[in-house]
């Protein structure tokens, strides 16, 4: 059955159920008062727009992942999750803290029968600072696979160029992370202002409507080998994010090690334990320490991009190390 986004927020009652630390948390009460730059309207827009395009149903994850308070009682975490015929998982984590910190972590993962990009919106805001990533993360390589890049991004380059000018490149981005971004990625930082938040909301709406249009046009893959390839590509993406996503340290500070790990692996990057059996080091062996553990560094190569490494046609104009260089073999 279909439910509106607002009705879902009004019926979220249970705290996250996992681990012995659950007594540190309280069930959700009334919603935090929404400020002028609240990200709640972003989520409401996305849910309403998705419902216009497809049959959106609550995900089974909603039962255990809905709302909780931080250990100090100063931050509220709210989670919603849905699924649809072409959508394996649409999920969102919103965090609102007493000192004006807000986080939006919204993503849409396609079913394995589709090679659609992964919609990704990661917004971190304080009263003075905003760190923003908005993208249609490519499922497959857009640096070397021209056919995939042209299939999904050629028609979107004017949209990307429009917002690249309004929301300029945010500074150094590691070459490892870059492999998971598209030529239209918005990676930016800005000082809080009503104008900038208005531009960001406009970009979010335009990017999400573009993703939904791609979803509507997408035909389900019938080739078993390609479905397997799609599944492994999504699993590789999830494995990277579950291990190296920079938001993990914030979650650990808010809700502790055990609960944050469960939230990351079972909710935010759900599928990392179900879509494949390869480990992080299977996909990214260059991160293996001498003792067999995973290197904590986000970048092993040490190369970063201080400006946008794509030209106006979406051609990659930077340079990435070869696989052997990544593994330290040359």
């Amino acid at each position: 059955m279909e439910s509106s986004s607002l009705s879902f927020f009004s019926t979220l009652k249970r705290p996250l159920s996992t681990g012995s630390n659950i007594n540190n948390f309280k069930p959700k009460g009334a919603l935090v008062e929404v400020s002028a730059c609240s990200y709640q309207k972003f989520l409401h827009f996305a849910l309403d727009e998705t419902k216009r395009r497809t049959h959106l149903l609550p995900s089974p994850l909603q039962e255990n992942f809905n709302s909780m308070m931080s250990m100090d009682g100063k931050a509220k975490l709210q989670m919603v999750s849905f699924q649809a015929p072409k959508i394996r998982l649409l999920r969102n984590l919103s965090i609102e803290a007493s000192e004006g910190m807000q986080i939006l972590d919204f993503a849409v993962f396609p079913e394995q029968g589709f090679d659609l990009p992964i919609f990704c919106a990661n917004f971190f805001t304080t009263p003075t600072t905003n760190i923003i990533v908005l993208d249609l993360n490519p499922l497959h390589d857009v640096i070397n696979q021209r056919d995939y890049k042209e299939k999904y991004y050629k028609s979107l380059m004017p949209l990307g160029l429009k917002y690249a000018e309004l929301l300029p490149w945010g500074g150094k981005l590691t070459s490892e992370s870059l492999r998971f971004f598209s030529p239209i990625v918005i990676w930016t930082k800005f000082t809080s202002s009503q104008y900038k938040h208005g531009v960001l909301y406009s970009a979010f709406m335009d990017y999400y409507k573009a993703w939904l249009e791609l979803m509507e046009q997408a035909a389900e893959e019938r080739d078993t080998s390609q479905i397997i390839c799609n599944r492994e590509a999504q699993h590789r993406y999830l494995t990277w994010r579950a291990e190296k996503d920079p938001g993990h340290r914030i979650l650990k500070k808010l809700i502790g090690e055990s609960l944050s790990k469960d939230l990351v692996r079972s909710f935010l990057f759900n599928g990392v334990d179900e879509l494949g059996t390869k480990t992080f080091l299977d996909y990214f062996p260059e991160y293996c320490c001498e003792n067999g553990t995973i290197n904590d560094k986000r970048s092993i190569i040490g190369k970063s991009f201080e400006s946008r490494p794509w030209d106006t046609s979406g051609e990659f104009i930077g340079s990435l190390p070869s696989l052997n260089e990544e593994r330290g073999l040359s």
Side-chain angles (χ1 to χ4, degrees):
M1 60 180 176
E2 248 182 290
S3 299
S4 70
S5 58
L6 290 176
S7 67
F8 256 85
F9 280 113
S10 65
T11 56
L12 299 182
K13 298 178 180 178
R14 299 185 182 181
L16 179 62
S17 176
T18 176
S20 58
N21 292 334
I22 196 66
N23 291 330
N24 292 331
F25 306 101
K26 304 174 184 178
K28 183 183 77 65
L31 283 175
V32 172
E33 184 177 351
V34 176
S35 65
C37 62
S38 171
Y39 289 130
Q40 294 299 328
K41 69 176 183 178
F42 289 65
L43 177 59
H44 293 163
F45 166 80
L47 294 181
D48 291 341
E49 193 69 17
T50 309
K51 285 164 51 186
R52 290 182 55 247
R53 313 282 190 117
T54 188
H55 188 55
L56 198 61
L57 295 172
S59 164
L61 295 176
Q62 192 67 55
E63 178 70 18
N64 290 324
F65 296 94
N66 43 64
S67 67
M68 62 191 304
M69 295 296 293
S70 62
M71 291 184 291
D72 61 7
K74 295 181 179 180
K76 184 169 294 185
L77 292 77
Q78 297 180 139
M79 294 140 274
V80 292
S81 54
F82 299 86
Q83 58 192 28
K86 296 181 182 180
I87 296 173
R88 181 180 69 82
L89 176 64
L90 180 159
R91 58 83 178 147
N92 184 71
L93 168 65
S94 297
I95 301 176
E96 294 186 347
S98 59
E99 296 180 353
M101 182 190 79
Q102 292 190 74
I103 293 175
L104 178 82
D105 189 336
F106 177 80
V108 188
F109 302 96
E111 287 283 7
Q112 301 167 41
F114 302 90
D115 65 357
L116 286 163
I118 296 165
F119 186 87
C120 167
N122 294 127
F123 303 161
F124 173 83
T125 291
T126 68
T128 58
T129 303
N130 300 265
I131 302 174
I132 304 297
V133 174
L134 176 63
D135 193 22
L136 278 62
N137 291 159
L139 191 64
H140 299 294
D141 184 0
V142 290
I143 295 176
N144 299 307
Q145 291 184 220
R146 179 173 294 274
D147 57 342
Y148 185 81
K149 182 179 70 173
E150 293 190 352
K151 178 180 180 179
Y152 286 117
Y153 299 102
K154 184 177 181 180
S155 64
L156 298 180
M157 284 309 301
L159 180 66
L161 292 173
K162 170 186 175 181
Y163 287 108
E165 185 173 342
L166 293 170
L167 298 166
W169 191 256
K172 291 183 178 180
L173 189 67
T174 65
S175 57
E176 290 92 345
S177 297
L178 193 73
R179 294 187 185 277
F180 297 96
F181 292 129
S182 81
I184 65 167
V185 62
I186 296 174
W187 151 238
T188 192
K189 300 177 183 178
F190 58 81
T191 302
S192 292
S193 72
Q194 186 174 358
Y195 170 74
K196 282 291 189 179
H197 282 285
V199 172
L200 181 61
Y201 185 50
S202 177
F204 179 86
M205 291 190 293
D206 286 347
Y207 271 51
Y208 193 58
K209 286 188 288 187
W211 187 90
L212 289 171
E213 289 172 6
L214 294 178
M215 179 202 71
E216 287 182 315
Q217 298 164 9
E220 187 168 8
E221 183 61 61
R222 300 298 181 186
D223 185 341
T224 302
S225 64
Q226 187 58 46
I227 295 173
I228 292 172
C229 184
N230 291 343
R231 181 170 65 240
E232 179 163 310
Q234 190 170 152
H235 186 250
R236 181 176 183 269
Y237 173 94
L238 293 168
T239 301
W240 171 264
R241 294 290 305 274
E243 183 66 37
K244 293 297 181 180
D245 192 86
H248 295 182
R249 63 181 180 270
I250 297 175
L251 289 176
K252 289 178 184 178
K253 182 178 179 180
L254 291 175
I255 60 177
E257 178 82 28
S258 178
L259 290 177
S260 64
K261 182 178 179 180
D262 190 52
L263 183 62
V264 165
R265 297 189 69 87
S266 299
F267 181 76
L268 291 179
F269 305 114
N270 174 271
V272 69
D273 296 320
E274 293 83 19
L275 295 185
T277 58
K278 287 187 177 181
T279 67
F280 181 86
L281 293 178
D282 289 331
Y283 288 122
F284 311 102
E286 63 274 15
Y287 280 85
C288 186
C289 297
E290 289 185 2
N291 62 1
T293 60
I294 298 172
N295 195 312
D296 289 336
K297 293 181 179 179
R298 279 187 52 78
S299 177
I300 295 297
I301 302 168
K303 182 177 178 60
S304 60
F305 297 86
E306 295 189 16
S307 59
R308 179 173 290 274
W310 291 278
D311 65 17
T312 56
S313 64
E315 290 295 316
F316 187 72
I317 54 177
S319 61
L320 288 177
S322 67
L323 183 60
N324 283 342
E325 287 176 315
E326 287 186 1
R327 296 180 180 181
L329 299 178
S330 63

